Amino acid sequence: MKIDFEIAGVPARFVRNDWTGRAELVAGDETVCLQSPRELSTHFDVHTARVWRHRVGDHEVAIEVVRRRLFGGLRPMSFTVSVDGAVVAEATGK
């Protein structure tokens, strides 16, 4: 899953590998790991929603992932990207 958006004119991208579960936020020259495949909660989690928050400069970026309860890792998930509380991108996929 790749979602392109902007943070105050700076190009940014959210990338999630559906095989490993690694999720990262790339903004300008900065790359931040939001979820590592080395963490157990990446592969086994009872919660159906997760929000990653990160500050980029003076802006708060929130990425919300919602999955289905039954076979959630095998089915498409909903992704919502917000910058300073305003939704800037939405996508569905793995």
Side-chain angles (χ1 to χ4, degrees):
M1 170 61 61
K2 292 180 184 174
I3 303 172
D4 293 314
F5 58 99
E6 287 188 359
I7 303 170
V10 176
R13 174 180 278 182
F14 168 73
V15 181
R16 182 180 178 277
N17 185 317
D18 63 330
W19 286 98
T20 64
R22 180 178 177 84
E24 54 188 25
L25 173 65
V26 180
D29 296 336
E30 181 182 8
T31 300
V32 178
C33 181
L34 302 172
Q35 179 173 282
S36 172
R38 295 183 195 134
E39 297 174 9
L40 188 60
S41 63
T42 299
H43 307 286
F44 302 101
D45 195 359
V46 295
H47 299 100
T48 58
R50 175 178 291 181
V51 178
W52 294 298
R53 296 183 191 283
H54 186 72
R55 286 199 78 71
V56 177
D58 295 334
H59 303 282
E60 177 76 24
V61 178
I63 301 169
E64 180 180 12
V65 180
V66 178
R67 65 172 177 84
R68 306 254 173 120
R69 185 170 301 277
L70 189 61
F71 301 112
L74 302 175
R75 297 169 69 181
M77 299 178 231
S78 299
F79 296 85
T80 305
V81 180
S82 302
V83 176
D84 296 331
V87 175
V88 295
E90 292 181 315
T92 300
K94 290 186 176 184

